[in-house]
């Protein structure tokens, strides 16, 4: 849809009277012509156009062209004070001006692919053409040329500059009549102001200019109109505000008395020139009729705003997203989209694996050199802190569950080894490997089973890992990843929401633990501060049995002993403050919530109005690192003994009686080696589902990944690492959903040069292997960084965990639909699915997801969490059953269509379209567009209504 709104006054009456005649034109001749013009093969993309409109001004006897507006994507006007530009806004045009512009192009001079090298030469060519065609009297040749070659004053020049220049001219030779000056008053080369103009940062490097010149003169009795397209873009000196070569030139000079009308026509052609569809037409037009067809197509998409319901003085804010020219052209009846090239090809042995390798080899070098960017530094620091926190937490829990057969040291080493290998050779290196809750529960149950049955735990675990590795290879060889075709938004969002909520709840639970270890004295009263004390009393000699080592105990000054010394020597602590540690709980909460809130605020800082764009983006990229450093500094400044990050300092197994290599034979009966196939099957299902769902979420089309997926290759390396970690006695690792999403978010790229008013465009993700490799290498060498890491308070890292969980919920449709329950209908956002699906059906679908999420949450909180992967498979079954409850139309908007339903849907759609066409043919009167409720007005209708009367052209 065009981004130009049109003002009307009496137009609405005319539209109604002619509507039955033209309401049901299926495809206009203009649209057909444009498809033919734009359908020609052309590898060269159309350059971005910078459009400047200059208006002829007269100050006494002096004539000059003054810049009045400019466009890159949206319009900026010179404010009435002349000192500043307006905010970028959507151009609002009068409908009458568009028809006048059409007449101008139809009756004026059109020169396409003119060989021009300077403005005087181009002006001479235009005038010569008009004289030859009898459109201009020969005696007006010099006057027209004189006016068109007057100097241009751009907005970069302040009025005082002009005043000083005029003063210099007056003192040098006195006042002279305008006709006595040189015919060419415009400079041949760009001025210093043009070359230094900072506005160039907003314009793409390959941009070209279109100049619009409008004005009124007293020597013409009819308009002088010309539209010129140069064969090659040429820099025309001081014609343009910025040193951009000019490709198009539109000139409109007319008799006095219609300056406002000329200005509106100039704004109309300027708006058209920055319209993606019309600019393509302007570049490829072969004659005048092609340009007129472009205007007709623009008119066909114009939205009419009734004047009684809208104030034309209001400046419409630029939208966040606009429809591309290709989609607009397709909407008029063009072809459909291309098939996705990310589909997995099945059928032959290891076919998917070979396809993944073939897809990844061409990108191997770019996977490394594209990582050399300042954005990668912030991503590495962010993900590194998340990984080591997770490794320490998981290692501690694993040590408690396995009697230190696997602990923090093994967790660090396993994270570093698995992550580095995976990032080097996997199909999707943006995925971050980590241990998960179900694996922890499996390890705990396996250890208890081994202990109760006299089986060696490490050897049994090794054989489970070997069997699981072979089963992963079997899944890769048979292309079992085909199951991801059935993982729709329903499954993805249920799984990712669960993991996000786990991160959020764990972060809050750990923070609440600080209040347990360092309780707040709620009975404290400031007036009785003198009553609060804690004393160490000596033990009763008659009742205590003293150790022989405790000599001269009677000589101790018990009042001077510390809390630990008092307990050590058998004393007793007496007082109402002995169990409280002042300030620690509150300080921990400040560090926790401060880190989270500062990270969120700085992450949004790139949308702020303060500071230059590059600085805002830099602050946003390093938001997490800045928040961590800020609150680490605050902790050091206050000096309280808050809980700190504890990292192993020695490279040795956590349990002294185990080595780094686990031998496969010698400790268990032979049948254990075979029987371990059964628990290995459960582990394989767990790993397969966890890995593939996380990979599907990472490979979403919304992330615009250009290097393709690698489901089979990823699973292959996960299987290899399963066996390797089992031999080394290290934990097992699989894709971590939340940390992987955080990794992608930290590497998102946006367009650097965005037009004024245009939102930076999301370009995709910086796909490379370097950040992941550096994260895991740093994790491996963390034992040598212990002297530095020990200063980081744990509440700060809990704040980072909270941010990861909350940030991963953004963009999830499921979460947006949950919030709809608490919103009245009139305040609900204008989501696309709300336009097409009844709200009650949306709520019902959301309720089913909430119930599934609640079941998964309860399940993961019990011993049955080991069945978690089976429940994920259950989500696929639930989604299949929803086909019997919801129509395919509804599911297409709130979820995805399952494989096999697309063809049925297309057949139904075609049949429905035929039925709709028959119904429309029977209707008389106004057509009803159920989505936008706009009137689609074609030029031919207005021609019938007689709207071309009193044209300025």
């Amino acid at each position: 849809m065009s981004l130009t709104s049109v003002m009307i006054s009496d137009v609405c009456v005319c539209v109604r009277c002619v509507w039955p005649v033209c309401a049901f034109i299926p495809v206009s001749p203009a649209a057909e012509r444009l498809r033919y013009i734009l359908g020609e093969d052309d590898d060269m993309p159309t350059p971005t156009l910078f459009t400047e409109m200059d208006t002829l001004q007269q100050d006494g006897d002096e004539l000059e062209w003054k810049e009045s507006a400019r466009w890159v994507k949206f319009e900026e006007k010179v404010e009435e004070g002349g000192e500043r530009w307006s905010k970028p806004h959507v151009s609002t045009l009068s409908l009458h001006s568009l028809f006048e512009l059409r007449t101008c192009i139809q009756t004026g001079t059109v020169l396409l692919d003119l060989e021009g090298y300077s403005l005087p030469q181009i002006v001479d060519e235009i005038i010569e053409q008009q004289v030859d065609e009898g459109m201009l009297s020969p005696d007006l040749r010099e006057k027209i040329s004189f006016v068109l070659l007057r100097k241009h004053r751009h907005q970069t020049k302040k009025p005082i500059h002009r005043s000083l220049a005029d003063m210099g001219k007056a003192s040098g030779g006195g006042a002279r009549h305008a006709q006595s000056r040189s015919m060419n008053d415009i400079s041949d080369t760009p001025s210093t102001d043009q070359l230094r103009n900072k506005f160039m940062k907003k314009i793409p490097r390959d941009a070209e200019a279109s100049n619009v010149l409008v004005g009124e003169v007293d020597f013409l009795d009819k308009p002088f109109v010309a539209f010129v397209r140069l064969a090659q873009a040429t820099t025309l000196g001081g014609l343009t505000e910025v040193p951009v070569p000019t490709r198009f030139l539109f000139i409109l000079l007319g008799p006095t008395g219609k300056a406002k009308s000329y200005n509106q026509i100039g704004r109309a052609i300027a708006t058209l020139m920055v319209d993606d569809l019309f600019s393509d037409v302007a570049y490829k037009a072969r004659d005048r009729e092609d340009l007129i067809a472009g205007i007709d197509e623009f008119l066909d998409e114009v939205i009419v705003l009734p004047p009684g319901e809208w104030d034309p003085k209001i400046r419409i804010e630029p939208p966040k997203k606009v429809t591309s020219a290709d989609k607009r052209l397709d909407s008029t009846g063009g072809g459909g989209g291309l098939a996705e090239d990310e589909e997995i090809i099945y059928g032959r042995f290891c076919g998917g694996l070979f396809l993944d390798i073939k897809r990844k080899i061409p990108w191997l070098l770019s996977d490394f050199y594209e990582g050399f960017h300042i954005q990668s530094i912030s991503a590495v620091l962010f993900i590194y802190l998340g990984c080591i926190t997770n490794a320490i937490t998981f290692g501690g829990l694993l040590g408690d569950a396995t009697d230190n057969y696997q602990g923090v040291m093994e967790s660090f080493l396993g994270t570093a080894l698995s992550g580095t290998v995976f990032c080097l050779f996997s199909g999707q290196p943006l995925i971050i490997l980590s241990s998960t809750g179900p694996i922890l529960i499996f390890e705990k149950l396996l250890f208890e089973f081994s202990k109760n049955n006299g089986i060696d735990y490490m050897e049994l675990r090794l054989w489970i890992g070997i069997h699981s590795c072979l089963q992963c290879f079997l899944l890769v060889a048979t292309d079992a990843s085909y199951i991801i075709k059935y993982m729709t938004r329903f499954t993805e969002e249920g799984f990712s929401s669960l993991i996000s909520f786990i991160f959020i709840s764990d972060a809050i639970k750990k923070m609440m633990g600080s209040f347990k270890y360092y309780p707040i004295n709620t009975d404290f009263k400031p007036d009785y501060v003198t009553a609060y004390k804690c004393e160490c009393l000596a033990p009763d000699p008659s009742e205590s049995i003293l150790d022989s080592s405790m000599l001269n105990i009677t000589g101790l000054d018990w009042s001077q002993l510390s809390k630990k010394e008092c307990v050590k020597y058998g004393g007793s602590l007496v007082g109402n403050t002995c169990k409280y540690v002042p300030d620690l709980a509150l300080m921990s909460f400040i560090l926790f919530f401060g880190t989270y809130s500062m990270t969120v605020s700085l992450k949004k800082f790139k949308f702020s109005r303060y500071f230059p764009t590059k600085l805002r983006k830099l602050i946003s990229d390093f938001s997490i690192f800045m928040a961590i450093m800020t609150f680490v500094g605050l902790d050091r400044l206050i000096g309280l003994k808050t809980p700190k990050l504890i990292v192993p300092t020695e490279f040795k197994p956590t349990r002294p009686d185990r080595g780094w290599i686990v031998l496969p034979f010698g400790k268990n009966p032979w049948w254990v080696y075979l029987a371990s196939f059964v628990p290995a099957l459960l582990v394989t299902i767990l790993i397969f589902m966890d890995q593939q769902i996380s990979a599907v979420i990472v490979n979403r089309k919304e992330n615009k990944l250009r290097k393709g997926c690698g489901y089979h290759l990823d699973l292959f390396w996960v299987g290899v690492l399963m066996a390797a970690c089992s031999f080394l006695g290290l934990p097992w690792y699989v894709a971590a959903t939340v940390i992987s999403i955080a990794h992608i978010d930290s590497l998102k790229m946006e367009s650097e040069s965005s037009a004024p008013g245009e939102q930076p465009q999301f370009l995709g993700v910086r796909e490379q292997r370097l950040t992941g490799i550096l994260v895991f290498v740093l994790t491996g060498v963390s034992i040598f960084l212990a002297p530095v890491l020990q200063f980081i308070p744990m509440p700060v890292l809990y704040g980072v965990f909270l941010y990861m969980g909350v940030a991963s919920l953004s963009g999830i449709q499921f979460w947006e639909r949950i919030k709809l329950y608490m919103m009245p209908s009139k305040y609900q956002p204008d989501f696309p699915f709300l336009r097409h699906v009844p709200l009650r059906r949306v709520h019902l679908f959301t309720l089913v997801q909430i119930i599934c999420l609640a079941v998964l949450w309860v399940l993961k909180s019990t011993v049955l969490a080991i069945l978690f992967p089976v429940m994920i498979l259950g989500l696929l079954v639930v989604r299949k059953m929803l086909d019997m409850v919801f129509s395919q139309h509804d599911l297409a908007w709130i979820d995805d269509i399952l494989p096999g339903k697309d063809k049925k849907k297309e057949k139904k759609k075609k049949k429905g379209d035929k039925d709709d066409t028959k119904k429309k043919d029977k209707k008389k009167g106004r057509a009803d567009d159920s989505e936008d409720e706009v009137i689609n007005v074609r030029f031919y209708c207005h021609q019938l209504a007689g709207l071309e009367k009193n044209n300025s052209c």
Side-chain angles (χ1 to χ4, degrees), residues 238-271:
L239 181 63
T240 310
E241 173 192 353
V242 287
V244 174
T246 297
R247 187 63 176 265
F248 296 94
L249 195 64
F250 178 83
I251 301 171
L252 171 58
L253 294 176
T256 57
K258 292 188 176 182
K260 184 177 180 181
S261 179
Y262 301 151
N263 188 68
Q264 290 297 319
I265 295 172
R267 290 182 61 245
I269 185 62
T271 304

Side-chain angles (χ1 to χ4, degrees), residues 546-553 569:
L546 298 178
D547 218 355
S548 58
S549 61
M550 303 177 81
L551 303 176
N552 297 327
I553 194 169
Y569 294 124

Side-chain angles (χ1 to χ4, degrees), residues 393 397 505-515 798 801:
T393 304
L397 295 173
S505 65
D506 284 352
I508 295 175
K509 283 180 183 177
K510 292 179 186 298
M511 184 58 240
M512 292 300 103
S514 298
F515 290 89
Y798 300 153
F801 262 49

Side-chain angles (χ1 to χ4, degrees), residues 489-503:
R489 184 189 293 269
F490 178 87
T491 308
E492 294 174 31
E493 292 185 340
F495 180 78
S496 60
S497 297
L498 175 67
I499 303 302
S500 299
F501 287 139
I502 289 174
F503 261 69

